[in-house]
Amino acid sequence: MKQLVFASNNPHKLSEIRRIVGARFEILSLADIGCHDDIPETADTLEGNALIKARWVKERYGYDCFADDTGLMVDALDGAPGVMTARFAGEHCTPADNVALLLRKLQGNPLRTARFSTVIALIKDGREQVMTGTVEGEIATEERGTDGFGYDPIFIPEGTGKTFAEMGPDAKNEISHRGRATAKLLQVLNAEK
């Protein structure tokens, strides 16, 4: 089985990606290759941050790899939190802190539309490629559901009436931003001989 490094140690992201990719590739985490670096995410775009992480692993560890960055863009907040999605409530915040802050900022606001985007940067066989997956939706007025992570309890994908946290992993992966970006990644990998 071919190995490919996913430049992440986030157990939730690793589980989602491994579930979507299936048996064709063994997906290694940063810890699996001995990378315990605090990789800086200093770009002002999702694509820029994904490329920083992928290049870091390739240049320092030599592995073909892919990295992602995900952003939640809320219309009522002029696209925030965007590139700051994981650090919305501060540098050392928890996902619960981020959710609570977003709900406070939107309290009483009827404009709840938002979108989630994931950008995946792949470095393989000396080539860089970037894929994006986006899902439109809206922000719930309160947390609902127990599956998932991050903003999943408050993001309702368009046309579903359920938050990601109410769907279960397989249903979420079929329509999520990360699922869509990973499907494009798999198309690229499957096209290789």
Side-chain angles (χ1 to χ4, degrees):
M1 184 186 309
K2 293 181 182 176
Q3 292 183 328
L4 195 58
V5 174
F6 178 29
S8 180
N9 276 324
N10 180 317
H12 301 292
K13 285 186 178 184
L14 283 158
S15 175
E16 271 189 12
I17 291 284
R18 286 174 174 149
R19 191 177 190 105
I20 295 167
V21 168
R24 179 140 193 277
F25 286 86
E26 180 185 4
I27 303 298
L28 303 176
S29 69
L30 291 176
D32 292 333
I33 64 167
C35 174
H36 302 285
D37 307 346
D38 186 12
I39 302 173
E41 295 182 48
T42 53
D44 56 6
T45 64
L46 300 176
E47 180 177 325
N49 281 334
L51 284 165
I52 286 171
K53 291 185 276 190
R55 289 171 181 159
W56 184 281
V57 170
K58 184 64 178 172
E59 290 165 7
R60 287 166 178 77
Y61 295 86
Y63 287 92
D64 283 347
C65 63
F66 65 97
D68 80 324
D69 199 24
T70 294
L72 174 63
M73 290 64 124
V74 179
D75 292 329
L77 302 179
D78 296 323
V83 75
M84 297 299 293
T85 294
R87 300 174 299 284
F88 187 44
E91 197 57 42
H92 301 289
C93 65
T94 66
D97 296 335
N98 288 330
V99 167
L101 177 60
L102 183 58
L103 287 176
R104 275 197 312 275
K105 284 185 173 281
L106 291 180
Q107 193 167 10
N109 192 329
L111 180 61
R112 314 288 296 187
T113 52
R115 68 213 41 80
F116 249 130
S117 286
T118 292
V119 176
I120 292 178
L122 171 68
I123 300 177
K124 191 165 184 315
D125 302 325
R127 292 179 48 220
E128 290 184 356
Q129 297 179 69
V130 175
M131 294 129 260
T132 301
T134 300
V135 61
E136 298 287 335
E138 63 183 53
I139 304 300
T141 56
E142 61 186 10
E143 294 184 54
R144 298 183 348 218
T146 56
D147 277 336
F149 63 99
Y151 295 87
D152 287 357
I154 61 168
F155 185 80
I156 304 169
E158 198 170 64
T160 66
K162 294 181 178 178
T163 67
F164 275 148
E166 293 176 297
M167 291 184 171
D170 291 331
K172 176 190 171 185
N173 289 340
E174 276 187 33
I175 63 167
S176 78
H177 45 294
R178 189 168 294 107
R180 290 174 179 180
T182 305
K184 292 178 183 178
L185 172 68
L186 286 175
Q187 285 178 343
V188 170
L189 295 174
N190 290 334
E192 297 174 355
K193 302 213 179 207

